[in-house]
Amino acid sequence: MKEKIAGLLKDKVTDMELEDIINLIEQPPKPELGDFAFPCFRLAKVMRKAPQMIAQEICDSIEKPDYLEKIVTEGAYVNFFTNKTFFAKDVITSALDDNFGSSDEGKGQTICIDYSSPNVAKNFHVGHLRTTVIGNSLYKIFSKLGYNVERINHLGDWGTQFGKLIVAYKNWGSEEAVKEKGIEELMRIYVLFHEEAEKNPELEDEARAWFHKMETGDEEALKIWEWFIDISLEEFKRIYKLMGMDFDHFTGESFYRNMTDDVVKTLTDHNLLTDSEGAKIVDLSEYDMAPCLVVKNDGSSIYATRDLAAIMYRKKTYNFTKCLYVTGQEQKLHFAQVFKVIELLGNDWAKDGLVHIPYGLVSLGGEKLSTRGGNVIYAEDILKEAINKIREIIEEKNPDLSAQEKDEAARIVGVGAVIFNDLYNQRIKDVSFKWEHITSFEGETGPYVQYTYARCSSILRNIPDYENAINSSDLDYSVLTDAASVDLLKEISRFGAVITDASEKFEPSVVARYAVDLAQAFNRFYTDNRIAVDEENVRNARCAVTYITRRVLKDSLDLLGIGCVERM
């Protein structure tokens, strides 16, 4: 409908592209002001007239088409009232298309997303949840827009900490204990190393020596290191499977370690490296930034070197349009430095093509959560606790479900509740875990949206042959002109614009909030309109609205990385 209205305005607004007109069209704050409005403030400077006068001239010059009920002005706005019957037909016909909400704007383009990136030999803790769910949602959003997306898990699998871990394993570990307890044992001996190193600083020298062996290709050192990686990956993939997520590449820091010499050579050839107390840096003072350390004074590389190597490799391998880095706010300076260095190498694409996507911290809301020791909260504990709490609620609300149905629903809704709680907030804001909110089936929560989807499924299950009815070409759209029906159809019509908005802002919360708005609009529609009525034309039309609501709810949740259940 926006496109149709923009088409009417195009000849009246000569200095604006069609896409710009579409983007300016908005929905008035009150229904009595119309369904769509075009503001004329921007035209005042060009046309040298008052915005109110411009609005009136545009309004008077448009010949009203059948799909509009009337066109009026309200101050500097041209307000459009749609023909409700036409509008219902337009939305339902569009939403019944399997590609509703999709676009081909990304056709032929690749986006790399670097996210999750846990540290090898350490538990997947709650802090990793944010980068993982945000990155996964962005992958789905950009895929919906037609981009080829490379999902990259840049594991923390290289550095002096592995020298420490090998020393700890040699002194206080055993093959049997590591095989039996996995990461739990690796963390135990790693903590023990630090405790012992305070009493015996020579252990630090031993650790550096073992890491040097790794860097120089020592067979024993690399064999132990690779074993630790295998153990960690098995743990991580189990949690990703629980969350319904996967990656295209598990290429951690170590993948780029043999490329760092080329990075140093390239920087040297471009006269960007400066000696500083035995180390090599790129001076960024001209850009009000601290220097970017590239080579340490002992000659070894640092994570910035490997990040530079990763960017060069990804650009060469994938020829990305954008490479997104979903990491905490505390890494803002690091990525600003690395991106500036890439730009200084003469790569103009770095300005828009390299994007750091920061996010806030995780707060525990003062509530005690299950842990496995210390102050570390493990992601798996939160997910399992959410699953258990949802299982109890389902058991109470719907005891007639089979045990298998309850378990499946609890897993999907429980994991979804945690993910939704994270993504509903703007990513830069801190997230708080409060169980009474996260697992509630009321309010702005994942379970509320999932329950609305299940309600739509239940309604349709109880209406025989509804699929044939809604696909017929003779639906009576005139019965969908009441306020609740129109409001719901308006929400559905926004879906494509919501996806575009989320992609431009790198903000999954736009989709999450839309999902709540859509669920609320459907529940108002359901309250005001009985669906299983005797009148066939009314029943079929309302079935069609229920069906497309269900589909768009499912697609919205999928964009967030959340599943749906038919019964709960």
Side-chain angles (χ1 to χ4, degrees):
M1 189 59 72
K2 279 188 175 183
E3 289 175 0
K4 288 182 171 66
I5 293 171
L8 293 175
L9 293 166
K10 182 68 177 73
D11 295 337
K12 321 299 177 186
V13 188
T14 55
D15 293 324
M16 292 180 67
E17 296 295 326
L18 186 66
E19 192 66 30
D20 293 330
I21 298 173
I22 292 172
N23 291 334
L24 276 177
I25 295 171
E26 57 191 57
Q27 290 190 6
K30 298 178 182 178
E32 56 266 27
L33 294 176
D35 299 301
F36 299 96
F38 177 74
C40 297
F41 303 103
R42 183 170 159 180
L43 305 176
K45 188 174 182 181
V46 177
M47 300 178 71
R48 299 180 180 279
K49 295 179 181 178
Q52 294 90 334
M53 186 180 297
I54 296 170
Q56 191 62 56
E57 287 180 0
I58 291 174
C59 179
D60 293 342
S61 67
I62 296 176
E63 185 175 342
K64 183 180 72 65
D66 291 342
Y67 55 82
L68 292 178
E69 190 177 284
K70 62 180 177 177
I71 308 171
V72 299
T73 58
E74 182 70 34
Y77 290 84
V78 184
N79 289 10
F80 300 85
F81 291 76
T82 60
N83 177 318
K84 302 298 187 291
T85 300
F86 187 97
F87 178 67
K89 181 179 180 180
D90 186 51
V91 175
I92 292 174
T93 303
S94 299
L96 284 172
D97 189 299
D98 289 340
N99 295 316
F100 183 63
S102 303
S103 85
D104 59 359
E105 77 165 55
K107 186 177 181 180
Q109 300 181 68
T110 294
I111 288 180
C112 294
I113 309 183
D114 179 324
Y115 63 106
S116 196
S117 310
N119 292 318
V120 164
K122 293 184 180 178
N123 277 100
F124 194 101
H125 61 73
V126 68
H128 291 118
L129 274 178
R130 295 222 68 192
T131 168
T132 304
V133 301
I134 293 169
N136 185 65
S137 181
L138 291 175
Y139 147 68
K140 297 207 173 242
I141 288 167
F142 281 105
S143 296
K144 188 81 169 175
L145 295 176
Y147 291 90
N148 172 55
V149 182
E150 300 289 342
R151 299 168 292 175
I152 302 170
N153 199 327
H154 189 77
L155 297 168
D157 64 355
W158 198 252
T160 53
Q161 68 268 31
F162 291 98
K164 297 176 182 179
L165 195 55
I166 292 174
V167 171
Y169 173 68
K170 290 279 187 179
N171 281 282
W172 310 291
S174 70
E175 183 176 352
E176 294 75 17
V178 173
K179 282 183 176 179
E180 180 186 350
K181 297 181 180 178
I183 284 184
E184 184 180 342
E185 174 65 7
L186 295 181
M187 286 190 67
R188 184 191 71 81
I189 60 176
Y190 186 70
V191 170
L192 188 56
F193 171 89
H194 287 280
E195 292 173 354
E196 293 297 323
E198 288 185 7
K199 296 178 278 186
N200 181 11
E202 290 180 3
L203 288 171
E204 296 281 359
D205 296 328
E206 286 185 45
R208 281 189 285 270
W210 271 104
F211 181 58
H212 181 71
K213 286 183 179 183
M214 287 172 57
E215 289 200 304
T216 54
D218 179 82
E219 187 175 339
E220 181 187 9
L222 291 178
K223 185 178 180 181
I224 297 172
W225 167 74
E226 287 169 355
W227 180 40
F228 292 164
I229 289 178
D230 290 342
I231 290 169
S232 302
L233 271 176
E234 184 178 345
E235 170 87 358
F236 298 154
K237 287 182 178 180
R238 184 170 52 78
I239 296 171
Y240 293 136
K241 183 178 180 181
L242 178 62
M243 297 173 72
M245 299 176 185
D246 200 359
F247 292 84
D248 299 303
H249 313 282
F250 286 89
T251 45
E253 289 188 73
S254 64
F255 182 80
Y256 307 100
R257 69 184 189 274
N258 295 327
M259 305 177 196
T260 55
D261 287 346
D262 288 340
V263 171
V264 174
K265 183 179 185 305
T266 301
L267 293 173
T268 302
D269 291 345
H270 283 75
N271 297 315
L272 288 175
L273 282 185
T274 303
D275 289 328
S276 176
E277 299 179 3
K280 292 185 183 296
I281 64 167
V282 177
D283 184 0
L284 299 175
S285 56
E286 183 181 343
Y287 309 98
D288 297 321
M289 279 187 270
C292 181
L293 177 61
V294 177
V295 181
K296 293 191 287 187
N297 54 18
D298 63 0
S300 61
S301 63
I302 192 172
Y303 53 86
T305 331
R306 296 186 282 276
D307 275 339
L308 290 167
I311 292 172
M312 294 175 184
Y313 171 83
R314 291 168 186 172
K315 187 63 177 177
K316 181 179 179 181
T317 305
Y318 308 116
N319 190 28
F320 58 75
T321 300
K322 289 186 184 295
C323 188
L324 313 180
Y325 291 79
V326 185
T327 72
Q329 175 73 9
E330 69 279 1
Q331 294 195 44
K332 180 179 179 180
L333 174 61
H334 165 73
F335 282 108
Q337 291 171 315
V338 169
F339 296 169
K340 178 56 72 173
V341 171
I342 292 291
E343 185 185 332
L344 292 174
L345 286 170
N347 301 305
D348 289 339
W349 49 263
K351 294 177 184 177
D352 297 318
L354 299 174
V355 184
H356 177 222
I357 299 174
Y359 53 83
L361 301 173
V362 175
S363 151
L364 302 177
E367 299 200 18
K368 188 177 185 299
L369 299 173
S370 58
T371 69
R372 293 176 183 163
N375 294 319
V376 180
I377 307 297
Y378 298 135
E380 187 176 20
D381 290 331
I382 283 181
L383 294 170
K384 287 187 173 179
E385 190 156 354
I387 291 169
N388 290 336
K389 287 179 179 293
I390 294 294
R391 180 70 160 76
E392 292 172 3
I393 295 171
I394 292 174
E395 183 71 57
E396 178 186 342
K397 301 287 187 183
N398 198 350
D400 294 336
L401 288 178
S402 69
Q404 184 177 352
E405 285 179 311
K406 290 172 186 173
D407 290 342
E408 181 69 0
R411 182 186 65 78
I412 292 173
V413 177
V415 171
V418 173
I419 294 174
F420 195 92
N421 180 69
D422 188 305
L423 296 182
Y424 188 77
N425 298 276
Q426 287 184 311
R427 57 179 164 74
I428 204 62
K429 294 184 177 179
D430 294 346
V431 168
S432 176
F433 280 95
K434 295 182 178 177
W435 287 120
E436 70 273 13
H437 173 75
I438 292 175
T439 58
S440 173
F441 283 76
E442 298 177 358
E444 299 162 348
T445 70
Y448 171 74
V449 178
Q450 289 170 305
Y451 179 74
T452 304
Y453 171 87
R455 168 176 276 178
C456 291
S457 295
S458 175
I459 291 167
L460 294 173
R461 270 197 309 272
N462 292 322
I463 298 177
D465 204 30
Y466 75 86
E467 289 184 337
N468 289 332
I470 66 171
N471 286 322
S472 65
S473 58
D474 57 352
L475 280 175
D476 184 357
Y477 300 102
S478 68
V479 302
L480 299 173
T481 57
D482 62 285
S485 297
V486 172
D487 287 346
L488 176 54
L489 290 168
K490 281 183 181 178
E491 285 299 329
I492 292 169
S493 72
R494 291 200 304 121
F495 186 47
V498 164
I499 299 170
T500 300
D501 189 30
S503 72
E504 290 173 350
K505 296 175 179 174
F506 307 111
E507 187 62 82
S509 68
V510 172
V511 177
R513 289 173 183 269
Y514 168 77
V516 169
D517 290 343
L518 180 58
Q520 289 173 339
F522 175 78
N523 285 313
R524 287 192 294 270
F525 165 81
Y526 179 70
T527 300
D528 289 359
N529 297 283
R530 281 189 60 229
I531 296 168
V533 294
D534 292 335
E535 298 93 330
E536 185 177 353
N537 64 321
V538 176
R539 183 175 67 248
N540 290 350
R542 290 176 181 170
C543 270
V545 173
T546 303
Y547 178 83
I548 61 174
T549 300
R550 176 175 171 267
R551 171 182 277 185
V552 177
L553 281 172
K554 186 178 191 302
D555 287 350
S556 300
L557 288 170
D558 181 69
L559 290 173
L560 301 172
I562 297 172
C564 294
V565 292
E566 301 299 315
R567 306 169 190 267
M568 68 168 70

